[in-house]
Amino acid sequence: MAYTAADGPAIDERIVKFIEAASVLNFATSVKDAPYCASVYFAYEPTHHWFIFKSDPDTKHIEQALQNTAVAGTILPDKIDKLVVKGIQLTGKFIQPDSGTLDLAKSVYLKKYPIATIFRGDIWIVEVHKIKYTDNTPIIGKKILWER
């Protein structure tokens, strides 16, 4: 069965289940051949395929993402099993929410991380364009691809 979204083709429910169980998005930016990586707590908004996170605007990853909105990333399980390779590789577009998207993004993020209200930072979005989900458990043992 697949998850149907208003913004793009259906996404396999195994991918959605994995994403919703995870907490940390590692994403990479690059400007003028200077790559940079950051790890952020994220929440998933399935209708638009958004990964939403909170970060200070003066950090290097935000500064770079505002200059070059093409980003890539990975998501691993919160608990690693060294015998099982499971995770997501993704590409997407970095978005600075506007008045039309900020309320939704903020509500999704704060629902998952209510404590985040006491920390500095702005809400940001990675709009996912491609996902490769790898799960080499004996029963599944495959890669699942999704593209907007």
Side-chain angles (χ1 to χ4, degrees):
M1 178 152 186
Y3 184 88
T4 304
D7 231 11
I11 188 166
D12 189 288
E13 69 181 17
R14 292 169 288 188
I15 296 173
V16 173
K17 184 178 177 183
F18 177 84
I19 291 169
E20 290 178 341
S23 301
V24 177
L25 165 67
N26 303 295
F27 77 101
T29 60
S30 182
V31 172
K32 297 181 183 175
D33 294 325
Y36 194 75
C37 293
S39 299
V40 295
Y41 289 104
F42 80 97
Y44 178 61
E45 198 293 308
T47 305
H48 299 93
H49 305 301
W50 289 346
F51 294 135
I52 303 160
F53 64 97
K54 190 172 185 178
S55 193
D56 283 323
D58 59 353
T59 56
K60 186 165 185 168
H61 59 279
I62 298 299
E63 289 172 357
Q64 283 196 346
L66 288 169
Q67 292 178 56
N68 178 2
T69 60
V71 297
T74 61
I75 300 172
L76 296 173
D78 289 347
K79 184 176 180 184
I80 301 292
D81 179 344
K82 293 181 182 179
L83 299 176
V84 176
V85 176
K86 189 183 276 194
I88 286 180
Q89 295 168 290
L90 64 99
T91 60
K93 179 180 178 182
F94 179 80
I95 298 173
Q96 183 173 11
D98 59 23
S99 59
T101 56
L102 181 59
D103 289 344
L104 173 60
K106 193 173 189 176
S107 70
V108 169
Y109 187 79
L110 293 177
K111 182 177 180 183
K112 187 169 182 179
Y113 305 105
I115 191 74
T117 57
I118 66 171
F119 297 107
R120 297 177 7 142
D122 295 341
I123 297 292
W124 308 94
I125 297 170
V126 172
E127 177 186 77
V128 181
H129 291 176
K130 291 182 184 178
I131 290 176
K132 180 170 85 171
Y133 173 59
T134 301
D135 184 347
N136 79 345
T137 53
I139 296 170
I140 298 173
K142 67 192 297 181
K143 297 178 189 318
I144 301 170
L145 304 175
W146 174 85
E147 190 168 347
R148 184 176 289 274

